[in-house]
Amino acid sequence: MGFNYGREKRKFDKEWERLEAEYAATGMDEAAIMAMKLYDWKWFCNERVYHNRVQTLPNESYRDEEERSTLFQKFTTLFAHWDDGDVDQSRYGWLSGIENEELFRRLCKLSQDDLELLTLLMVDGYRQVDIARIKGCSRNVISKRLKKIKKILLEG
């Protein structure tokens, strides 16, 4: 729902009637009260502009082009279209992008745990400290395991 200016303006005016009386009762001078009201008025106007120019994206499927909202239809050039056949859906799909056949062969010989460690580090972007926390061990254990993997990959 958009910003209902009339309703919000009435609420603003009513609130400021109350606040002006409250501030005057505490002994605040008229100039300070007007300065505060002006500040709140500028905020009110900025909120109105924000709500008029922002539209939430609907929670819907991106696959059905005919059923997309008008906002999605207007900005179809912003979509990236993936062909599901081009992407390996497994956790270790990044292996299929390795062009060096010898490196690919050596990586495929690694254990599941070693591949998971490399995936967490290189693909998911975790640091060694984070991986150690996930695996429930020390950072030193992860570092040593990575050195062993490196040795395996270099020697074959």
Side-chain angles (χ1 to χ4, degrees), residues 8-19:
E8 297 300 322
K9 175 74 168 88
R10 283 189 298 276
K11 283 179 15 183
F12 177 84
D13 290 339
K14 185 177 180 182
E15 177 67 13
W16 262 99
E17 275 182 38
R18 186 187 65 76
L19 286 173

Side-chain angles (χ1 to χ4, degrees), residues 127-138:
R127 298 175 302 157
Q128 289 183 23
V129 175
D130 301 327
I131 296 170
R133 198 173 297 130
I134 291 169
K135 298 281 187 185
C137 60
S138 70

